[in-house]
């Protein structure tokens, strides 16, 4: 507005011959520049007012045809008459004979300039609108993802508590002292769940520590019927996964297999690059496969939301393997 509008007020009259025979030594010549700069501002602000008005009533997305029509109508049927009237006023003030060819050229140049500037305005507006729309969609997607993630997390509590209470019921009948120990460890485990429920990611070493607590609970019930083989990586504090991931896999392995001390359930956990492999031996018939799928679907959705990568499941004849993506965050 500071440079472009005055530039049009200076350039167009010289291009179209509105100054006629006036020379630089006359006051009228220099007054003409002021007059045409004023004309440029009058045309600019008039079109700007019409442009903002029609933008409030029409947009490119809902009414594109009406948008084009109103833009062209306001540009041509405001710009052209105003330009002609102001040019005639200039000739009257300057005392020059009316030159209709100069007026036609000036009107044509002005209409083209206004259409060009309006195009620039619309392009800038559409780019800005697109960015705002993308931000708005991103915020909505984030809100939806957070709501879904929270719902998935909330599914963990009743599932874990249901299985734990079943185990406790079994232990109470078998050994009261072991049941009391189970209750103490269970309280520590549930405290971990509550503390990490709102966190999207935890250190792998932290989740493994929670896994070991749960493994000790299983040993209270099953003795040496479950073997856990874990080879911790050197950079464990830099590796992150969603909380309670490993415990869910161990719980599924115990729930969906048959085992005893003579035929123990073998669990192996290894980290390779940015992946963690959780493999358990398969014994007997997989019970309640539908429940297994629900647990893994829940885990898969949590990983996709927090790491943007899904888990991988491999179901062999003698083993069941789940591969989890790992996030690396260096301090």
């Amino acid at each position: 507005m500071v440079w472009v509008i005055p530039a049009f007020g200076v350039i167009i009259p010289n291009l179209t011959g509105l100054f006629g025979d006036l020379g630089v030594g006359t006051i009228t010549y220099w007054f003409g520049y002021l007059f045409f700069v004023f004309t440029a501002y009058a045309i600019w602000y008039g079109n700007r007012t019409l442009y903002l008005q029609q933008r409030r009533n029409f947009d490119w997305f809902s009414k594109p045809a009406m948008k084009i029509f109103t833009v062209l109508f306001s540009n041509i049927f405001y710009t052209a008459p105003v330009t002609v009237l102001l040019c005639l006023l200039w000739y009257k003030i300057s005392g020059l004979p009316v030159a209709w060819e100069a007026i036609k050229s000036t009107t044509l140049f002005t209409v083209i300039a206004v259409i060009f500037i309006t195009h620039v305005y619309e392009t800038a507006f559409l780019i800005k609108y697109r960015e705002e729309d993308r931000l708005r969609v991103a915020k909505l997607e984030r809100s939806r993802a957070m709501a879904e993630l929270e719902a998935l997390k909330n599914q963990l509590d009743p599932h874990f508590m249901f299985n734990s209470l079943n185990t406790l019921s079994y232990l109470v009948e078998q050994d009261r002292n072991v049941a009391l120990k189970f209750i103490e460890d269970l309280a520590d485990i549930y405290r971990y769940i509550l503390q990490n429920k709102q966190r999207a990611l935890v250190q792998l070493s932290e989740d493994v520590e929670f896994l070991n607590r749960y493994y000790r609970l299983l040993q209270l019930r099953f003795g040496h019927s479950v073997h856990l083989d874990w080879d911790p990586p050197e950079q464990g504090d830099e590796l992150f996964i969603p909380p309670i991931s490993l415990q869910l896999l161990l719980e599924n392995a115990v729930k969906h297999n048959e085992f005893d001390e003579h035929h123990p359930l073998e669990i192996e956990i290894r980290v390779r690059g940015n992946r963690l492999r959780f493999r358990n031996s398969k014994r007997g018939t997989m019970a309640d496969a539908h429940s297994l799928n629900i647990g893994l679907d829940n885990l898969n959705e949590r990983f996709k939301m927090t790491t943007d990568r899904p888990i991988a499941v491999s179901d062999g004849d003698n083993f069941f393997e789940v591969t989890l993506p790992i996030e690396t965050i260096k301090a």
Side-chain angles (χ1 to χ4, degrees):
M1 293 176 62
V2 176
W3 298 103
V4 176
I5 298 176
F8 280 123
V10 171
I11 295 172
I12 292 179
N14 283 288
L15 287 177
T16 58
L18 286 175
F19 284 109
D21 296 330
L22 292 176
V24 295
T26 64
I27 297 177
T28 306
Y29 177 85
W30 296 106
F31 170 78
Y33 281 121
L34 295 177
F35 181 84
F36 289 121
V37 168
F38 165 79
T39 300
Y41 272 107
I43 294 172
W44 176 285
Y45 279 104
N47 277 284
R48 183 175 181 272
T49 301
L50 292 172
Y51 169 77
L52 294 176
Q53 185 64 37
Q54 55 86 17
R55 180 193 284 179
R56 283 192 288 268
N57 297 320
F58 308 105
D59 63 72
W60 288 109
F61 305 102
S62 61
K63 299 179 179 179
M66 186 60 70
K67 177 73 173 181
I68 294 173
F69 174 77
T70 55
V71 168
L72 292 176
F73 182 87
S74 61
N75 283 344
I76 296 173
F77 291 98
Y78 170 79
T79 303
V82 170
T83 303
V84 171
L85 289 174
L86 289 174
C87 285
L88 290 174
L89 179 60
W90 158 249
Y91 282 116
K92 184 174 181 63
I93 294 173
S94 64
L96 294 171
V98 176
W100 286 105
E101 287 300 321
I103 293 177
K104 290 179 183 179
S105 299
T106 301
T107 303
L108 179 62
F109 273 114
T110 305
V111 169
I112 292 173
V114 169
I115 291 176
F116 171 76
I117 293 172
T118 302
H119 173 73
V120 172
Y121 258 90
E122 281 296 330
T123 302
F125 169 75
L126 289 174
I127 292 173
K128 181 181 179 182
Y129 183 86
R130 173 177 169 78
E131 289 301 314
E132 290 176 350
D133 191 55
R134 289 176 61 184
L135 288 174
R136 185 162 53 250
V137 170
K139 288 180 180 178
L140 289 174
E141 282 295 314
R142 177 176 175 80
S143 298
R144 181 192 63 80
M146 293 302 294
E148 291 182 2
L149 180 57
E150 191 63 28
L152 291 170
K153 289 178 179 179
N154 289 334
Q155 291 179 17
L156 296 174
D157 291 358
H159 187 248
F160 174 77
M161 287 303 297
F162 177 78
N163 290 324
S164 297
L165 290 176
N166 281 341
T167 302
L168 179 60
S169 176
Y170 170 84
L171 292 177
V172 167
E173 296 178 358
Q174 300 297 319
D175 190 322
R176 183 175 180 275
N177 292 328
V178 173
L180 290 175
K181 175 61 177 172
F182 183 92
I183 292 173
E184 292 176 2
D185 290 339
L186 180 61
D188 291 336
I189 289 175
Y190 203 73
R191 186 179 299 111
Y192 174 86
I193 293 177
L194 294 177
Q195 290 174 346
N196 293 278
K197 188 176 180 181
Q198 303 303 324
R199 298 169 65 185
L201 295 170
V202 297
Q203 288 179 324
L204 175 61
S205 57
E206 190 175 342
D207 207 55
V208 169
E209 182 180 349
F210 171 66
L211 175 71
N212 287 329
R213 293 178 187 171
Y214 183 72
Y215 177 56
R216 289 195 293 270
L217 290 186
L218 296 179
Q219 288 181 313
L220 290 176
R221 175 176 179 181
F222 299 111
H224 298 291
S225 298
V226 179
H227 292 169
L228 177 62
D229 181 12
W230 160 244
D231 184 19
E234 295 181 358
Q235 72 280 28
D237 291 340
E238 298 177 355
L239 306 179
F240 289 77
I241 61 173
I244 321 172
S245 300
L246 299 178
Q247 181 272 336
L248 185 145
L249 294 177
L250 179 55
E251 184 180 10
N252 277 338
V254 170
K255 181 180 179 181
H256 298 287
N257 285 282
E258 298 176 1
F259 52 89
D260 53 39
E261 291 192 0
H262 300 291
H263 302 91
L265 178 65
E266 301 288 346
I267 310 289
E268 181 184 88
I269 304 176
R270 295 289 186 270
V271 173
R272 296 292 183 268
N274 62 348
R275 294 271 175 175
L276 180 145
R277 187 189 70 195
F278 185 103
R279 173 182 287 205
N280 63 266
S281 57
K282 285 175 60 176
R283 296 192 178 277
T285 303
M286 294 287 284
D288 194 9
H290 178 67
S291 175
L292 173 63
N293 288 333
I294 291 176
L296 291 178
D297 288 344
N298 180 301
L299 188 66
N300 187 46
E301 289 301 319
R302 286 202 293 142
F303 267 86
K304 287 195 293 185
M305 289 181 185
T306 54
T307 69
D308 292 325
R309 291 178 290 166
I311 67 174
V313 178
S314 179
D315 191 359
D317 294 333
N318 300 312
F319 70 90
F320 186 82
E321 181 177 295
V322 179
T323 303
L324 307 178
I326 299 176
E327 289 290 294
T328 302
I329 304 176
K330 296 184 179 181

